[in-house]
Amino acid sequence: MTKQADVVVIGGGITGAAILYELAKYNLRAVLVEQEPELAAGTTKANSAILHAGFDAPTGSMKARMNVEGNAMYHELKDELDLEIEWTGSFVAAVDDEEMSVLQELLERGQANGVPGLEIWDGDKVREKEPNLSKDIKGALWAPTAGICWPFGMALAFAENAVINGAEVLRECQVTGITVENGAVKAVETDQGTIETKYVINAAGVHADDVSRMAGDDSFTITPRRGEYILFDKTAQKDLVYSPIFPTPTKMGKGILVCATTHGNVFVGPNAHDLDGSEKDDTAVTIPGMNEILEKARKLVPNIPAGAAITEFAGVRAVSSTGDFIIGHSEKTKGLFQAAGIQSPGLTSAPAIAKAIVGEIVAETGAAQKEDYKKGRPAQPCFRTLSDDDKKALIAKDAAYGRVICRCETITEGEIIDAIRRPVGARTVDGVKRRTRAGMGRCQGGFCGPRVTQILARELNIPVTEVRKEMRKSYMFYDKETQSGGKA
């Protein structure tokens, strides 16, 4: 494969997808390359799913600016792209006078950052809204513009709109090198071939420093910081919380929180443990980590029911050596733009980061906005939320919507087929799960997993042994006769 593009985006997480979405508004040939079969397979799929208000980052930092701008942008994008967002507000809780003074600092910093509506509430007022919080909580900072969201779905929404508007997404396409001549980008080399281009946007997450070095820029490094989580069954929410509850922050991050999800679950986490450079993709969970999370979370919500846990997971955050986001053109290589070190509040900041970087490229190229730009993306049927009459009408139109595949979440075959056939469709079992919730319930795919595998094989026209769980080589089965699948 040899192809030409005006801009190549490296990395298919929330930041890369938002950048592609922004590029697709202009007359630019834009290509996104992602090394895994699914987008959002890294940090985006395993984070706290919070749209932060913007009071935490130091005033004047890139994190602070992008956070506040991104939060405001999501208020508009929610309807335009049909994003799963609930504007719940958030609390930072304090248990003593020293922590109450930290709340005052956060309040003043947030006001300087331009965050609206911040207030400090006493403990009684906080517990009126969240009655299961500890009686030791003396007060909390209330941030009404914060919210919770579904990050995987948001990354897909950005990518789907971009594809509808002519952008290209290449999955299972690993970058192997970047050609630079006379100090300027000329091409991106991948295991699928060469993409000739004058502009590269590096949104490679924990691997952003590796990609940057490929282009001759070694001005920063990325330290991977792992965070572990525990997710609870929906039945536990009545005993837990309905909004994000943070402890007072430390130098390692915002701390171990207790938070609801847009789907009615609650999770606790993350902890924060720095890894070395060889462990950038280490998402293992540990018994000490689980114990640490529960112990610290119970300082906020004492009656956390460990027996209601349905799964544990971990994500890896990209911590830059600069201590801030690294955004904009490289000082060393012409045509290279960085979107690196995008740790928290990176999810909230993504659309603002995209607008800033694409704005620079548009200014350089003089690219015009597309006259035929299409807003939005195809509607996603959600069977379980429909009225009985609408369910009957949908089944009459397509009988596949009458076959429930996932009993825990009431997900139908029709929804799974739609997830596979969408503009950036599912290619793996976890890709189906994150698009539809098939496999996200109490049994965690124990019932529906085999049927989802069969549907994927049929729709993708591949043998069952070629179906993968999520990553490139995560085959679900191995065929001894053909020696295909798990051994490939």
Side-chain angles (χ1 to χ4, degrees):
M1 172 195 80
T2 299
K3 60 170 59 215
Q4 287 76 41
D6 295 312
V7 188
V8 175
V9 182
I10 300 175
I14 186 73
T15 304
I19 290 168
L20 191 71
Y21 162 79
E22 195 67 29
L23 286 168
K25 297 176 180 178
Y26 297 89
N27 290 317
L28 292 165
R29 294 171 298 173
V31 177
L32 181 147
V33 295
E34 164 57 45
Q35 66 179 351
E36 300 299 343
E38 299 288 355
L39 299 188
T43 304
T44 302
K45 76 175 183 196
N47 61 70
S48 301
I50 295 170
L51 296 177
H52 295 284
F55 54 77
D56 189 66
T59 302
S61 67
M62 192 63 75
K63 286 182 179 180
R65 175 189 154 197
M66 295 292 106
N67 187 161
V68 175
E69 289 182 15
N71 180 288
M73 291 175 73
Y74 275 119
H75 279 77
E76 297 181 8
L77 290 166
K78 179 181 186 297
D79 292 332
E80 179 185 326
L81 293 175
D82 190 25
L83 304 179
E84 289 187 58
I85 296 173
E86 295 178 16
W87 297 111
T88 59
S90 69
F91 289 106
V92 179
V95 297
D96 54 35
D97 289 341
E98 182 178 353
E99 291 189 353
M100 288 295 292
S101 68
V102 174
L103 299 189
Q104 185 62 37
E105 293 173 11
L106 293 175
L107 172 68
E108 293 171 2
R109 186 185 306 161
Q111 290 170 338
N113 290 351
V115 180
L118 295 174
E119 297 177 349
I120 293 178
W121 292 5
D122 64 32
D124 290 339
K125 185 174 181 180
V126 175
R127 281 183 289 272
E128 285 179 13
K129 187 170 179 64
E130 292 286 1
N132 295 313
L133 295 187
S134 170
K135 290 182 168 44
D136 293 332
I137 290 174
K138 188 171 184 177
L141 177 66
W142 165 242
T145 57
I148 57 178
C149 65
W150 179 224
F152 183 88
M154 296 200 306
L156 284 177
F158 285 132
E160 286 185 347
N161 175 268
V163 168
I164 290 167
N165 284 290
E168 189 173 0
V169 173
L170 300 178
R171 291 180 277 178
E172 297 189 71
C173 185
Q174 186 169 10
V175 174
T176 57
I178 297 174
T179 302
V180 176
E181 294 180 6
N182 300 320
V185 168
K186 292 298 181 184
V188 175
E189 302 294 338
T190 79
D191 57 4
Q192 290 188 23
T194 300
I195 309 172
E196 296 174 351
T197 185
K198 291 183 178 180
Y199 293 97
V200 168
I201 302 175
N202 174 17
V206 293
H207 297 285
D209 54 346
D210 304 321
V211 169
S212 185
R213 282 193 293 272
M214 289 180 184
D217 185 342
D218 60 357
S219 60
F220 65 91
T221 57
I222 297 294
T223 297
R225 179 173 293 167
R226 184 173 61 199
E228 299 167 87
Y229 295 85
I230 302 173
L231 183 73
F232 298 97
D233 185 64
K234 292 179 180 180
T235 58
Q237 185 170 44
K238 66 182 186 304
D239 300 315
L240 296 171
V241 299
Y242 293 88
S243 54
I245 313 295
F246 294 92
T248 50
T250 70
K251 64 179 182 179
M252 290 295 284
K254 297 178 176 67
I256 291 171
L257 61 141
V258 183
C259 185
T261 74
T262 56
H263 302 126
N265 302 93
V266 173
F267 69 84
V268 296
N271 52 11
H273 295 286
D274 286 344
L275 308 174
D276 66 41
S278 65
E279 302 175 299
K280 286 188 174 182
D281 299 305
D282 184 355
T283 55
V285 294
T286 64
I287 292 175
M290 298 299 99
N291 291 335
E292 175 191 9
I293 291 168
L294 285 172
E295 178 185 354
K296 292 184 178 178
R298 282 174 173 148
K299 293 180 180 179
L300 298 174
V301 182
N303 297 319
I304 291 176
I310 57 174
T311 192
E312 301 82 32
F313 64 94
V316 181
R317 291 157 273 181
V319 181
S320 76
S321 54
T322 69
D324 200 357
F325 294 160
I326 301 167
I327 298 172
H329 63 84
S330 165
E331 298 293 339
K332 294 192 174 185
T333 305
K334 181 176 174 58
L336 174 65
F337 284 77
Q338 309 285 12
I342 312 300
Q343 61 178 126
S344 181
L347 172 63
T348 316
S349 303
I353 293 170
K355 190 172 183 179
I357 291 175
V358 174
E360 288 192 50
I361 291 175
V362 167
E364 282 193 24
T365 61
Q369 287 188 320
K370 290 178 178 173
E371 294 182 0
D372 58 350
Y373 175 75
K374 305 174 188 67
K375 287 190 173 185
R377 57 180 176 140
Q380 300 178 95
C382 185
F383 187 81
R384 67 185 179 277
T385 64
L386 299 176
S387 68
D388 287 346
D389 287 343
D390 287 341
K391 286 177 181 176
K392 290 175 183 177
L394 188 57
I395 293 168
K397 185 177 179 181
D398 185 344
Y401 285 96
R403 294 189 284 272
V404 173
I405 302 299
C406 172
R407 293 181 179 179
C408 294
E409 297 291 324
T410 317
I411 309 300
T412 66
E413 183 174 359
E415 291 166 277
I416 294 169
I417 293 171
D418 174 74
I420 297 168
R421 295 179 180 177
R422 291 184 69 78
V424 186
R427 291 184 179 176
T428 67
V429 171
D430 281 0
V432 169
K433 177 174 75 172
R434 296 191 181 107
R435 286 170 176 82
T436 67
R437 289 192 59 78
M440 280 196 174
R442 184 178 296 183
C443 84
Q444 288 291 289
F447 176 82
C448 64
R451 188 71 182 105
V452 169
T453 302
Q454 290 176 327
I455 295 170
L456 273 164
R458 182 191 73 208
E459 291 295 315
L460 298 177
N461 195 28
I462 58 175
V464 167
T465 51
E466 300 271 329
V467 175
R468 291 164 291 183
K469 183 179 186 295
E470 178 182 28
M471 301 300 192
R472 273 190 169 196
K473 296 184 179 181
S474 60
Y475 293 95
M476 300 288 289
F477 303 99
Y478 174 58
D479 187 332
K480 287 185 178 181
E481 288 188 13
T482 63
Q483 293 191 1
S484 65
K487 202 174 181 179

